[in-house]
């Protein structure tokens, strides 16, 4: 304080307060020092680089984040959701100031709050509170007529919106506006409208084709769709929706590569919902019956993928205990390569994975498959990230962290849709995808501090959705669900 105390007692109190503040600061520094000692430098570096991808790639005028970067791209609303959450991480880590995070977040929320919502083909950003999967980076309108109004991508966007609502809790005009905008964006989403085949929720809608003839069921990244749909204070779906969602679980419950778990071949399905929800110790009826929570299920899925890579049934180059990971990603391209009597098919963008439900493996390794699982199984993920960087980092580790994917088995000279051929390695992608960068950054932060999870535990809509779905135990016990 910049005042001179008039009395000795005031001076004594000032010294006591200063000593207390210094002790608190020393304690904080000691805690941070211990964390730095525990967190491998490579992970610390990866988190910062991945954050920079979101900060540098977004349009600061409207907050839209590209699907891929640094090449020209349309915006991905799911990537925006990851980005909104990333800005809070950046503020906490000191990558940017809180004021910078507030400014970018406000630009984003103002855009989505005010963007046109109607049923036109070309002059809308969304409809009934939902948003189109891909948007024009500048205008924010539906990017093309092949783009659907996506329930799951809107949900991932809302993960970031609700994070902002709970994180920016200070009594300033800017942070009050963030909370108000976030609340209004979430409240207007009409979840009951997308129950085309009630009680399930459809995957999407288009003005021309209307509702997509597929619903969210089984087990995949759609878990958060139902949690947010059940937590809505304005258009909530019934509790029978969660029962319908879990009713087909047993189709993929079983043993794969030494682990018994609820299978979903690509690892993103085991990661996305967990970015915002800490499932440790909370269980729904299905969890209680099987004797595990969804966090443990994702841990087993991670170990299963590593075991698959070690076994390497396809005989792909480079696979091993520290080089593994299958999930949705770019690839060398849709073509068949023949070598003698051997014929191998390589895919472009596809949902690669290995599980009881299916196996899609063309030798393409996706770093986010491991990186996004760091909170589940750091003991096997950290060595994998370090080994991939050590072995291939010259070509796959850039100023923005790991590129989307690489394939040491592909060496065919051809016109590539994306990526490039590296003689000593194989095919290497030249872009980073927002939906792959997000889990790397945010799950790394959840592992090291629990930051995103702890913020979201304060959100009444998340709590209400979980409780209506039947989750109990752990941090949910005694929680109030009312907004």
């Amino acid at each position: 304080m910049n005042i001179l105390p008039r009395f000795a007692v005031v001076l004594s109190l000032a010294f006591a307060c200063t000593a207390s503040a210094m002790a608190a600061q020393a304690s904080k520094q000691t805690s941070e020092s211990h964390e730095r000692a525990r967190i491998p430098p490579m992970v610390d570096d990866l988190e910062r680089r991945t954050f920079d991808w979101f900060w540098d790639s977004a349009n600061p005028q409207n907050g839209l984040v590209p699907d891929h970067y640094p090449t020209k791209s349309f915006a991905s609303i799911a990537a925006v959701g990851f980005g909104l959450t990333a800005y809070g991480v950046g503020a906490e880590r000191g990558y940017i100031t809180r004021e910078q995070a507030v400014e970018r977040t406000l630009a984003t929320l103002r855009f989505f709050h005010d963007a046109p919502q109607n049923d036109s083909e070309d002059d809308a950003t969304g409809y009934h509170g939902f948003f189109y999967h891909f948007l024009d980076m500048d205008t924010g309108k539906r990017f093309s007529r092949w783009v659907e109004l996506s329930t799951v991508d809107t949900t991932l966007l809302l993960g970031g919106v609700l994070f902002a609502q709970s994180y920016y809790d200070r009594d300033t005009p800017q942070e009050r506006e963030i909370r108000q905008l976030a609340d209004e964006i979430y409240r207007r989403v009409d979840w009951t409208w997308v129950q085309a085949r009630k009680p399930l929720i459809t995957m999407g809608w288009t003005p021309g084709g209307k509702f997509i003839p597929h619903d969210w069921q089984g087990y995949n990244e759609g878990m958060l769709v139902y949690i947010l749909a059940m937590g809505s204070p304005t258009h909530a779906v019934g509790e029978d929706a969660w029962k319908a969602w879990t009713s087909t679980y047993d189709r993929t419950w079983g043993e794969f590569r030494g682990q018994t778990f609820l299978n979903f071949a690509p690892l993103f399905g085991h990661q996305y919902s967990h970015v915002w929800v800490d499932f440790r110790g909370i269980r729904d009826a299905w969890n209680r019956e099987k004797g595990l929570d969804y966090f443990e299920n994702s841990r087993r899925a991670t170990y299963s993928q590593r075991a698959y890579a070690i076994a390497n049934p396809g005989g792909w180059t480079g696979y091993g205990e520290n080089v593994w990971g299958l999930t949705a990603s770019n690839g060398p391209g849709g073509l068949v390569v023949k070598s003698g009597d051997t014929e191998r098919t390589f895919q472009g963008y596809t949902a690669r994975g290995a599980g009881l439900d299916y196996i899609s493996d063309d030798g393409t390794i996706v770093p986010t498959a491991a990186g996004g699982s760091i909170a589940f199984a750091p003991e096997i993920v950290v060595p994998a990230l370090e080994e991939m960087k050590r072995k291939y980092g010259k070509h796959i580790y850039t100023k923005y962290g790991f590129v989307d994917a690489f394939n040491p088995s592909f060496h065919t000279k051809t016109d590539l849709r994306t990526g490039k051929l590296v003689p000593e390695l194989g095919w290497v992608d030249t872009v980073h995808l927002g939906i792959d960068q997000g889990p790397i950054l945010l799950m790394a932060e959840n592992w090291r501090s629990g930051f995103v999870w702890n913020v979201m535990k304060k959100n009444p809509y998340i709590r209400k959705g979980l409780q209506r779905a039947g989750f109990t135990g752990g941090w949910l016990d005694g929680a109030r669900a009312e907004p």
Side-chain angles (χ1 to χ4, degrees):
M1 301 192 311
N2 296 320
I3 60 174
L4 292 174
R6 295 182 179 180
F7 305 102
V9 64
V10 177
L11 182 61
S12 177
L13 286 172
F15 278 125
C17 290
T18 301
S20 176
M22 291 175 65
Q25 180 64 22
S27 175
K28 179 182 178 183
Q29 290 175 344
T30 299
S31 176
E32 291 174 348
S33 176
H34 287 165
E35 184 196 59
R36 285 194 297 271
R38 181 176 63 86
I39 301 300
M42 184 267 166
V43 175
D44 195 55
D45 180 71
L46 174 62
E47 188 172 345
R48 175 57 194 265
R49 289 171 185 255
T50 310
F51 168 82
D52 286 344
W53 184 91
F54 284 100
W55 191 253
D56 292 350
S57 70
N59 181 341
Q61 302 305 313
N62 57 24
L64 293 179
V65 177
D67 173 71
H68 53 274
Y69 183 82
T71 57
K72 186 174 176 59
S73 171
F74 39 77
S76 158
I77 61 170
V80 175
F82 288 124
L84 284 168
T85 314
Y87 306 145
V89 173
E92 291 296 306
R93 286 280 153 210
Y95 305 155
I96 56 173
T97 65
R98 188 178 180 98
E99 290 71 25
Q100 287 177 299
V102 165
E103 181 181 17
R104 180 70 61 85
T105 298
L106 264 179
T108 309
L109 296 185
R110 285 168 178 165
F111 166 76
F112 280 98
H113 181 271
D114 298 337
Q117 291 259 334
N118 58 65
D119 62 355
S120 70
E121 286 277 12
D122 308 307
D123 194 31
T125 298
Y127 190 44
H128 279 269
F130 293 92
F131 297 95
Y132 284 103
H133 190 166
F134 299 126
L135 305 174
D136 183 278
M137 279 290 295
D138 297 317
T139 68
K141 301 288 181 66
R142 181 189 189 191
F143 178 72
S144 175
R145 291 195 176 188
W146 54 264
V147 176
E148 86 284 14
L149 194 79
S150 173
T151 51
V152 71
D153 289 277
T154 296
T155 294
L156 298 176
L157 168 63
L158 291 173
V161 169
L162 295 181
F163 169 87
Q165 181 188 41
S166 292
Y167 175 64
Y168 299 100
D169 56 1
R170 296 181 182 177
D171 190 22
T172 66
Q174 294 81 9
E175 297 201 16
R176 287 197 300 270
E177 184 181 358
I178 285 176
R179 295 194 293 274
Q180 179 181 352
L181 291 172
D183 201 58
E184 292 177 4
I185 290 169
Y186 177 63
R187 283 173 173 265
R188 75 183 179 194
V189 180
D190 190 350
W191 302 97
T192 57
W193 175 68
V194 289
Q195 288 188 295
R197 290 161 292 276
K198 193 174 180 178
L200 293 172
I201 293 174
T202 180
M203 290 187 172
W205 175 91
T206 60
K210 303 305 179 185
F211 289 112
I212 293 174
H214 302 288
D215 300 310
W216 290 107
Q217 59 182 316
Y219 179 74
N220 47 48
E221 74 275 24
M223 183 158 59
L224 192 62
V225 172
Y226 285 95
I227 292 171
L228 294 192
M230 297 182 75
S232 172
T234 51
H235 303 285
V237 301
E239 294 180 8
D240 55 347
W242 189 261
K243 294 178 181 178
W245 158 254
T246 61
S247 66
T248 57
Y249 275 10
D250 286 343
R251 296 176 186 174
T252 56
W253 167 262
E255 190 273 336
F256 184 77
R257 294 292 170 180
Q259 301 291 328
T260 300
F261 64 106
L262 184 56
N263 282 245
F264 181 69
L267 275 178
F268 74 83
H270 298 277
Q271 298 168 349
Y272 283 1
S273 296
H274 294 255
V275 165
W276 292 283
V277 180
D278 183 0
F279 286 99
R280 294 175 299 177
I282 65 172
R283 299 184 178 189
D284 65 0
W286 184 87
N287 288 147
R288 290 188 285 272
E289 177 186 335
K290 295 298 184 182
L292 84 171
D293 55 36
Y294 288 109
F295 182 93
E296 169 62 17
N297 195 78
S298 291
R299 188 191 71 82
R300 295 182 187 183
T302 304
Y303 265 89
S304 177
Q305 274 234 4
R306 177 174 178 261
Y308 173 84
I310 292 172
N312 193 13
W316 301 105
T317 302
Y319 281 27
E321 64 177 357
N322 289 326
V323 180
W324 51 270
L326 302 177
T327 193
S329 75
N330 283 334
L335 69 159
V336 176
V337 177
K338 295 182 179 181
S339 178
D341 295 332
T342 304
E343 185 175 283
R344 289 190 159 183
T345 300
F346 295 91
Q347 302 292 334
Y349 186 90
T350 192
R352 295 171 173 82
L356 285 179
D357 43 344
Y358 70 86
I359 293 176
S360 176
D361 179 17
D362 64 353
T364 300
I365 299 164
V366 194
T368 192
S373 290
I374 191 170
F376 308 132
E379 67 280 3
I380 62 172
V381 168
V382 172
L385 296 175
E386 291 177 330
E387 175 69 8
M388 285 188 280
K389 182 186 176 186
R390 184 195 65 78
K391 194 170 184 179
Y392 305 115
K394 177 182 176 182
H395 304 293
I396 71 170
Y397 197 77
T398 78
K399 64 181 292 187
Y400 296 126
F402 287 107
V403 296
D404 173 53
F406 62 102
N407 191 319
S409 298
F410 186 89
H411 298 274
T412 303
K413 292 183 178 181
T414 184
D415 291 332
L416 297 170
R417 184 187 66 84
T418 183
K420 63 183 179 181
L421 283 181
V422 176
E424 64 270 33
L425 173 54
W427 176 84
V428 175
D429 207 355
T430 49
V431 299
H432 308 257
L433 301 189
I435 59 173
D436 287 350
Q437 294 286 79
I440 292 175
L441 167 63
L442 303 178
M443 291 303 272
E445 188 58 41
N446 277 331
W447 171 54
R448 67 192 299 181
S449 72
F451 168 64
V452 179
W453 288 336
N454 291 334
V455 168
M456 297 307 286
K457 288 172 186 177
K458 298 186 296 183
N459 191 276
Y461 303 132
I462 291 289
R463 289 178 175 272
K464 180 181 179 181
L466 288 167
Q467 290 169 339
R468 290 194 66 223
F471 283 89
T472 59
W475 59 270
L476 266 180
D477 279 1
R480 295 182 61 188
E482 297 82 7

